[in-house]
Amino acid sequence: MNVSVQAVAVWGKIAPSHSITAIMITDDQQTIVTGSQEGQICLWDLSSELKISSKEILFGHTASVTCLAKARE
Protein backbone atom coordinates (compact mmCIF):
# COMPACT_ATOMS: atom_id res chain seq x y z
CA MET A 1 0.00 0.00 0.00
CA ASN A 2 1.49 3.32 -1.09
CA VAL A 3 0.56 6.27 1.14
CA SER A 4 1.25 9.88 0.18
CA VAL A 5 2.03 12.37 2.95
CA GLN A 6 1.78 16.12 2.39
CA ALA A 7 4.90 17.99 3.53
CA VAL A 8 4.29 20.97 5.81
CA ALA A 9 6.87 23.69 6.42
CA VAL A 10 6.45 25.81 9.52
CA TRP A 11 8.34 29.05 10.16
CA GLY A 12 7.59 32.60 11.26
CA LYS A 13 6.25 35.43 9.11
CA ILE A 14 9.32 35.32 6.84
CA ALA A 15 10.32 32.21 4.88
CA PRO A 16 13.98 31.17 5.03
CA SER A 17 16.36 32.69 2.52
CA HIS A 18 17.18 30.52 -0.53
CA SER A 19 19.98 32.00 -2.65
CA ILE A 20 20.21 29.54 -5.55
CA THR A 21 23.71 28.20 -6.26
CA ALA A 22 22.78 25.06 -8.25
CA ILE A 23 19.85 24.02 -10.42
CA MET A 24 18.76 20.81 -12.13
CA ILE A 25 15.63 19.64 -13.95
CA THR A 26 14.42 16.04 -13.91
CA ASP A 27 14.28 13.94 -17.09
CA ASP A 28 10.46 14.16 -17.19
CA GLN A 29 10.75 17.97 -17.00
CA GLN A 30 8.14 18.14 -14.23
CA THR A 31 10.41 18.88 -11.27
CA ILE A 32 13.12 21.50 -10.79
CA VAL A 33 15.68 20.95 -8.02
CA THR A 34 17.62 23.89 -6.58
CA GLY A 35 20.49 24.01 -4.10
CA SER A 36 21.17 27.12 -2.06
CA GLN A 37 23.98 29.06 -0.45
CA GLU A 38 22.15 28.49 2.87
CA GLY A 39 22.52 24.68 2.54
CA GLN A 40 18.94 23.83 1.51
CA ILE A 41 17.67 21.72 -1.37
CA CYS A 42 14.26 22.66 -2.79
CA LEU A 43 11.97 20.72 -5.10
CA TRP A 44 9.64 22.69 -7.36
CA ASP A 45 6.76 21.47 -9.54
CA LEU A 46 6.82 22.69 -13.15
CA SER A 47 3.43 22.60 -14.87
CA SER A 48 2.85 22.19 -18.61
CA GLU A 49 1.94 25.93 -18.61
CA LEU A 50 5.48 26.60 -17.22
CA LYS A 51 4.16 27.69 -13.81
CA ILE A 52 6.49 26.89 -10.91
CA SER A 53 5.23 26.05 -7.41
CA SER A 54 7.15 24.92 -4.35
CA LYS A 55 6.93 21.25 -3.45
CA GLU A 56 9.46 20.49 -0.68
CA ILE A 57 12.39 22.12 1.09
CA LEU A 58 15.08 19.95 2.62
CA PHE A 59 17.30 21.23 5.45
CA GLY A 60 20.41 19.64 6.91
CA HIS A 61 23.49 20.64 4.94
CA THR A 62 25.92 22.76 6.94
CA ALA A 63 27.57 24.25 3.82
CA SER A 64 26.38 25.68 0.52
CA VAL A 65 24.98 23.26 -2.04
CA THR A 66 27.15 24.02 -5.07
CA CYS A 67 26.20 21.14 -7.39
CA LEU A 68 23.39 18.65 -7.93
CA ALA A 69 23.46 15.28 -9.69
CA LYS A 70 20.90 12.62 -10.59
CA ALA A 71 21.36 9.13 -9.19
CA ARG A 72 21.41 6.28 -11.66
CA GLU A 73 18.91 3.45 -11.43
Side-chain angles (χ1 to χ4, degrees):
M1 181 173 166
N2 198 0
V3 178
S4 177
V5 177
Q6 182 77 23
V8 177
V10 181
W11 48 72
K13 293 182 180 185
I14 300 172
S17 200
H18 186 74
S19 306
I20 295 174
T21 53
I23 189 165
M24 180 184 75
I25 190 164
T26 57
D27 290 335
D28 62 8
Q29 299 181 348
Q30 293 181 354
T31 303
I32 297 172
V33 183
T34 58
S36 77
Q37 184 176 354
E38 295 79 17
Q40 307 146 359
I41 295 175
C42 291
L43 304 177
W44 308 85
D45 282 326
L46 179 60
S47 73
S48 57
E49 298 85 30
L50 300 179
K51 293 186 179 185
I52 300 171
S53 58
S54 61
K55 185 176 180 179
E56 294 181 54
I57 185 168
L58 309 170
F59 295 91
H61 287 84
T62 56
S64 296
V65 177
T66 58
C67 67
L68 297 165
K70 294 181 268 188
R72 295 183 185 213
E73 293 183 21

